Amino acid sequence: MIEQYVRDLRQVDPTSVAVVGGKGAHLGALSRIDGVRVPDGFCVTTDAFRRIMAQAPSIDDQLDQLSRVDPDDRQAVRTLSERIRRTIEEVVIPDDLATAITGALARFGEQGAYAVRSSATAEDLPTASFAGQQDTYLNVVGAAAILRHISRCWASLFTERAVTYRRRGGIDHRTVLMAVVVQRMVFPQASGILFTADPVTGDRKVATVDAGFGLGEALVSGLVNPDVFRVRDGEVVAKAIAAKERAVHALPDGGTREVAVEARRQEEPALTDAQAVSLAALGRRIEAHFGRPQDIEWCLVDDDFRIVQSRPITTLFPVPEAGDEEYHVYVSVGHGQMMTDPMKPLGYSMWQLTAMVPMHEAGGRLFVDVTRRLASPASRAGLLDALGKGDPLVRDALETVLERENLVPSLPDAHPTGPPAGGAPTPIPTDPTVVTELIERSRVSIAALERDIRTKTGPELFDFLLEAFEEHKRVLGDPLSMQAIMAGMEATWWLNDKLQEWLGEKNAADTLTLSAPDNITSEMGLALLDVADVVRPLPEVLAFLREVEDEDFLDELAKVAGGSEARDAIEAYLDRYGIRCVGEIDITRPRWRERPATLVPVLLDNVRIFEPGAAERRFEEGRLKAQKKEQDVLSRLRALPDGDRKADETRRMIERVRTFIGYREYPKYGIISRYFVYKQALLREAERLVRAGVLAEREDSFYLTFQELRDVVRANRVDDGLIQQRKEAFRSYHELTPPRVLTSDGEALNGAYRREDAPAGALIGLPVSAGTVEGRARVVLDMAEADLEAGDILVTTFTDPSWSPLFVGIAGLVTEVGGLMTHGAVIAREYGLPAVVGVERATSLIRDGQRIRVHGTDGYVEILS
């Protein structure tokens, strides 16, 4: 009976989380590591907590109420959580349970001082630390006081912060149980936190020690600033000694109090360098045991370290597996593709199999290893130039790495994998038929794919797909296609550089490219305006669409007056653009064709905001504006010395940019068109596996890589535990922010803008579409929830082509991610929207509804109200 409720710390290990919680299990594991000293103690198990909860009156009703409360309603959460805590604390501990606890105390000394610490089952886990969510009580003396504080720990499972943390993490309150750790109290000269990886930069080679006098509460509560030691390779490489005016000490009769530190000691370091190095070495031993970086609480007692807690550092971005001990530098794929959200395993593995260069997964994101191209003098400049044109923050981050002595040694020049970065393909003539031919080649190839895949099932399908991926890459790497893309981009750069040099005009190409032909993405936004023209005069259709909730609404739409005409217009739109969706590089994301209701709010906004004929009118306005700009530029150039030559060159470049710049968007459309074909075939296989009882639901296939799904189809058997593990990992990846540049040491770098030409307080970014606009900021994180009015400025994390239908109704654009030639920038220029991208933390620094001014020519945003 006693073991049901009490376990000695040395009896538990990492498999005991369900019994003693995350903290207890970690402490048990720590106590078994050679050379690691953990204060003696025991755990009051989760069975004891269950017993108390079973005796708590009305607790089920209170938990039901709590589960229904909006986690953002702080007052309601506070009131309900207080009521639940009070209910738990008022439960009288049964005699047999109290006897089990006091019996354990007797083994360690009933009159001793103890730390009583909460240990929840969803705590100190690899994907969620829950640090500070529940309570700890120090220097508790006497059996009665210890029993009282154990009750408080049980109740602390329902602190306001813990309740909110769980709700936002999608964790059911009833699935989390509370154990309690009771440990002999230690009275340290110094204490603090050791991170075995730098918690700010992520560098796994640097340990960071925070130290202060007395008990660690002074640091945790923010009472004092800690001394900070940075230790790398067995030596202190940096330190900052703080003035420590206060400390927390234990009282003889129990409890703690703040005390003043003697003036002569305030500037003294809490640890010597040798002690900091020794502590870091101890941390490395603990890290090796758990297999990942740790956040460790320590105490120094008589020149000997005691470890009182260790938990995983859950905020570090994972490092791609390299298979060697060499130093590697990785660049984020998501920042270039405008999709920094995590991808499911089927999604990232399919992108890896169809990409033109090798890609490495970490944290559900993909990265390209650029180490060799950085190390080779011949390819370095081209790489930096190409990446810098796309995103100057990536270039700055890479240059920061290069400044580090000997981290990236120069290597002999070698042929890089894939196309040379920044290398210009052979020029092609300015001929519109080149674009027409490329689009036709892609259409024919996709039609053949659709035809040939229909009869393929089982293992044969996967063999066919591997061949299809080679055709996919052949089309994507078509030299003529690369030439056309580069022709448009190089003409843009030439116009911007030369017209600024000759006329002092910034970003002139932005206006000159308005309403360029053959831009599939801008056509998509205008085409939805045409659909709006069809439904606008149909009142019953509009009333029906305003109530749409289900994805099968198109069948019902045909039953209302005018519904057949509206359905035909929407179906025609979906036939051409239904392959698209937000985050479309992840094949597992639902496409518009699969969830057409996603488009309904945007369609209704178009009906409300625009007049009939808006698509044609907007396109023609843009074309005329570009034409007028061309005449103006050429006229001014001819007035300059050597003006006729300059004007002729510029005219040829304007013709070239308008011929090719629209095609920049087409290869992505081709990729996504193929992806939809692949997905439909794979989903048919997943449905067969569901019917065979192999998969619980077809979407479970998304949590397997392509290769793993192929094996499941062959064996007709799946590891359910692997799928569950992948689901939990995917949820945790949403909490991580991917860096632009990541090193194999784990250092995350995001670069900085080295500019001083913006007003104080302005948010700096990259200018990608000229002009200045002032308006209401609408911070939108989900396209489906956009509520925009004419003249609003869209502020979001990133935009890919699927956001284009929103662009027709806004006045400006601000994004956190993006570059000069990424899709959002291209479409912003196409529609004449002032835009600034790459604005760090824009969605948190700009509040929804604030008035802002976007300087699309100079690359900054002012917050006006």
Side-chain angles (χ1 to χ4, degrees):
M1 179 64 74
I2 289 177
E3 280 208 358
Q4 182 182 358
Y5 297 128
V6 174
R7 295 277 182 91
D8 190 289
L9 269 180
R10 296 181 184 277
Q11 292 178 306
V12 301
D13 59 33
T15 66
S16 309
V17 171
V19 178
V20 298
K23 188 177 299 174
H26 265 71
L27 285 167
L30 284 166
S31 68
R32 296 161 183 255
I33 303 173
D34 186 40
V36 176
R37 297 192 62 183
V38 176
D40 291 333
F42 61 91
C43 298
V44 181
T45 69
T46 52
D47 276 343
F49 176 74
R50 283 194 186 94
R51 182 102 176 263
I52 295 299
M53 291 292 280
Q55 293 183 214
S58 70
I59 199 75
D60 281 336
D61 288 343
Q62 292 176 35
L63 289 176
D64 285 342
Q65 290 178 52
L66 190 61
S67 67
R68 293 192 294 268
V69 168
D70 183 341
D72 292 323
D73 185 347
R74 296 188 61 182
Q75 184 56 50
V77 170
R78 184 178 301 120
T79 301
L80 276 170
S81 60
E82 282 177 1
R83 190 182 307 158
I84 292 171
R85 289 201 306 278
R86 194 162 54 248
T87 298
I88 294 171
E89 287 185 37
E90 288 172 355
V91 174
V92 177
I93 298 177
D95 290 345
D96 60 331
L97 177 51
T99 299
I101 294 170
T102 54
L105 275 175
R107 293 198 300 275
F108 297 105
E110 269 191 60
Q111 298 310 309
Y114 290 85
V116 182
R117 317 175 73 196
S118 306
S119 180
T121 52
E123 182 177 9
D124 295 354
L125 304 180
T127 58
S129 74
F130 284 75
Q133 300 305 310
Q134 284 90 39
D135 291 343
T136 287
Y137 301 96
L138 300 179
N139 199 32
V140 183
V141 178
I146 287 170
L147 289 171
R148 187 166 61 251
H149 284 85
I150 287 172
S151 287
R152 290 180 179 175
C153 284
W154 286 329
S156 75
L157 187 63
F158 296 97
T159 61
E160 180 187 350
R161 60 187 180 275
V163 166
T164 303
Y165 192 101
R166 285 195 296 272
R167 283 293 300 276
R168 289 188 172 150
I171 298 171
D172 185 345
H173 300 302
R174 284 184 169 85
T175 64
V176 184
L177 303 174
M178 180 66 84
V180 181
V181 176
V182 181
Q183 276 180 291
R184 287 300 301 260
M185 187 71 190
V186 292
F187 303 99
Q189 291 89 47
S191 58
I193 310 292
L194 162 65
F195 297 97
T196 63
D198 189 313
V200 177
T201 68
D203 193 335
R204 271 52 162 194
K205 295 291 182 68
V206 174
T208 301
V209 179
D210 288 2
F213 294 128
L215 294 169
E217 275 193 320
L219 301 187
V220 174
S221 65
L223 182 63
V224 296
N225 291 324
D227 297 340
V228 180
F229 300 81
R230 289 167 57 83
V231 181
R232 184 183 181 109
D233 297 330
E235 65 174 317
V236 174
V237 293
K239 63 180 174 181
I241 307 304
K244 299 171 287 296
E245 298 178 357
R246 312 289 292 174
V248 174
H249 286 179
L251 294 170
D253 296 326
T256 62
R257 71 171 181 183
E258 294 178 20
V259 297
V261 176
E262 299 172 47
R264 63 182 178 80
R265 295 190 62 216
Q266 289 178 5
E267 303 285 347
E268 288 181 10
L271 294 178
T272 65
D273 284 9
Q275 286 171 330
V277 169
S278 175
L279 179 59
L282 188 61
R284 292 288 175 222
R285 191 178 305 170
I286 295 169
E287 177 185 71
H289 179 84
F290 289 116
R292 58 186 299 147
Q294 297 287 301
D295 164 357
I296 298 166
E297 294 183 22
W298 57 269
C299 296
L300 180 65
V301 182
D302 300 328
D303 203 29
D304 188 19
F305 288 106
R306 311 291 172 87
I307 304 301
V308 295
Q309 188 165 332
S310 182
R311 63 168 69 92
I313 307 175
T314 60
T315 56
L316 299 176
F317 200 87
V319 179
E321 292 184 13
D324 59 38
E325 297 299 317
E326 300 297 317
Y327 184 78
H328 294 266
V329 182
Y330 303 95
V331 170
S332 166
V333 173
H335 284 80
Q337 289 294 333
M338 299 299 94
M339 215 292 275
T340 55
D341 290 346
M343 300 168 72
K344 295 187 179 78
L346 185 61
Y348 67 67
S349 65
M350 293 282 280
W351 193 262
Q352 286 173 309
L353 287 166
T354 53
M356 302 300 288
V357 295
M359 294 184 177
H360 308 265
E361 183 271 337
R365 280 80 167 189
L366 291 172
F367 295 85
V368 173
D369 187 343
V370 297
T371 316
R372 186 155 192 97
R373 283 150 75 179
L374 271 186
S376 168
S379 59
R380 181 185 303 152
L383 175 73
L384 292 174
D385 185 55
L387 293 176
K389 280 192 169 81
D391 185 340
L393 293 178
V394 171
R395 176 173 186 146
D396 184 80
L398 290 175
E399 288 176 336
T400 300
V401 172
L402 288 169
E403 288 168 5
R404 312 269 176 78
E405 190 174 353
N406 298 325
L407 279 184
V408 183
S410 287
L411 298 175
D413 293 341
H415 295 293
T417 304
T426 308
I428 53 174
T430 303
D431 182 356
T433 62
V434 170
V435 173
T436 306
E437 179 187 342
L438 285 168
I439 291 173
E440 180 61 15
R441 283 187 196 180
S442 177
R443 189 196 64 76
V444 168
S445 179
I446 292 168
L449 171 66
E450 290 173 329
R451 181 188 67 240
D452 296 342
I453 205 171
R454 287 177 191 148
T455 58
K456 305 297 188 290
T457 60
E460 184 188 9
L461 169 65
F462 288 83
D463 294 338
F464 172 83
L465 283 172
L466 289 172
E467 293 177 9
F469 296 162
E470 294 308 308
E471 168 67 4
H472 179 124
K473 289 191 279 191
R474 187 196 65 76
V475 173
L476 195 58
D478 183 338
L480 185 63
S481 179
M482 298 297 293
Q483 289 172 314
I485 291 169
M486 289 306 299
M489 292 168 66
E490 288 172 345
T492 300
W493 298 330
W494 189 96
L495 285 167
N496 281 336
D497 290 347
K498 291 298 184 181
L499 294 181
Q500 182 162 8
E501 177 188 342
W502 293 338
L503 299 176
E505 188 165 335
K506 290 183 179 179
N507 303 326
D510 295 356
T511 306
L512 294 167
T513 54
L514 288 172
S515 298
D518 300 311
N519 188 317
I520 188 74
T521 307
S522 63
E523 288 170 6
M524 178 170 66
L526 296 177
L528 199 61
L529 289 176
D530 289 334
V531 178
D533 286 352
V534 173
V535 303
R536 187 179 289 106
L538 303 171
E540 291 188 36
V541 167
L542 291 173
F544 175 87
L545 290 176
R546 290 188 187 104
E547 302 300 320
V548 162
E549 292 182 359
D550 298 328
E551 296 301 339
D552 58 358
F553 73 92
L554 288 171
D555 293 334
E556 295 299 314
L557 176 59
K559 299 175 184 177
V560 305
S564 294
E565 183 184 359
R567 184 183 65 177
D568 290 347
I570 295 172
E571 286 282 6
Y573 185 87
L574 290 172
D575 286 344
R576 183 150 174 77
Y577 304 110
I579 57 170
R580 313 219 80 146
C581 69
V582 174
E584 61 192 10
I585 69 169
D586 182 350
I587 196 172
T588 71
R589 292 283 189 108
R591 312 285 133 171
W592 290 342
R593 171 51 82 183
E594 296 167 307
R595 290 192 184 171
T598 305
L599 290 171
V600 171
V602 188
L603 177 59
L604 291 173
D605 281 347
N606 285 350
V607 170
R608 179 170 50 84
I609 295 172
F610 295 97
E611 296 294 323
E616 184 178 354
R617 193 162 52 250
R618 284 193 63 143
F619 187 84
E620 183 61 14
E621 285 170 358
R623 191 187 67 79
L624 291 173
K625 195 172 181 180
Q627 188 179 74
K628 183 179 179 182
K629 182 70 174 179
E630 177 180 0
Q631 293 167 351
D632 172 64
V633 163
L634 296 179
S635 172
R636 289 159 61 198
L637 285 172
R638 288 192 181 98
L640 299 176
D642 198 19
D644 286 343
R645 179 190 62 80
K646 292 173 180 174
D648 286 345
E649 283 186 25
T650 301
R651 180 184 51 75
R652 286 195 296 272
M653 280 299 176
I654 292 172
E655 182 185 0
R656 192 166 180 80
V657 79
R658 292 190 65 80
T659 298
F660 292 115
I661 200 62
Y663 178 72
R664 167 73 179 79
E665 291 292 297
Y666 199 86
K668 182 73 170 286
Y669 177 79
I671 291 172
I672 302 308
S673 298
R674 290 175 183 278
Y675 266 31
F676 190 58
V677 180
Y678 304 153
K679 182 179 185 179
Q680 288 176 304
L682 289 171
L683 282 177
R684 286 194 293 270
E685 282 302 300
E687 286 164 356
R688 184 189 64 76
L689 291 170
V690 171
R691 289 194 299 272
V694 178
L695 293 179
E697 54 187 23
R698 68 175 193 169
E699 284 75 18
D700 282 354
S701 62
F702 296 164
Y703 294 94
L704 300 169
T705 65
F706 177 85
Q707 297 86 340
E708 289 167 345
L709 182 56
R710 183 186 191 188
D711 292 341
V712 168
V713 167
R714 282 176 170 166
N716 233 31
R717 189 174 60 253
V718 72
D719 180 350
D720 292 326
L722 176 63
I723 289 176
Q724 189 56 39
Q725 177 187 329
R726 293 277 177 76
K727 287 181 177 180
E728 291 170 4
F730 180 71
R731 278 195 293 269
S732 73
Y733 292 156
H734 282 278
E735 302 300 316
L736 301 173
T737 302
R740 284 176 166 82
V741 172
L742 180 66
T743 75
S744 52
D745 286 349
E747 186 176 9
L749 300 103
N750 280 296
Y753 294 106
R754 315 290 177 178
R755 291 171 46 188
E756 298 179 356
D757 58 346
L763 307 181
I764 307 298
L766 178 67
V768 295
S769 186
T772 300
V773 66
E774 185 177 312
R776 179 180 65 161
R778 296 316 307 258
V779 179
V780 179
L781 302 181
D782 182 346
M783 175 183 160
E785 297 177 2
D787 181 17
L788 299 167
E789 299 287 345
D792 283 348
I793 296 169
L794 175 62
V795 180
T796 189
T797 311
F798 58 80
T799 63
D800 58 15
S802 70
W803 287 71
S804 299
L806 291 184
F807 282 28
V808 298
I810 59 175
L813 175 69
V814 179
T815 68
E816 294 180 345
V817 176
L820 191 62
M821 298 307 296
T822 49
H823 301 278
V826 170
I827 304 307
R829 290 194 291 272
E830 175 75 12
Y831 287 165
L833 303 174
V836 180
V837 302
V839 180
E840 290 283 275
R841 299 175 54 232
T843 59
S844 55
L845 294 174
I846 300 172
R847 294 195 309 276
D848 187 58
Q850 278 188 311
R851 194 155 190 83
I852 63 174
R853 185 181 296 127
V854 177
H855 295 262
T857 305
D858 296 311
Y860 62 89
V861 180
E862 292 180 281
I863 299 175
L864 304 178
S865 66

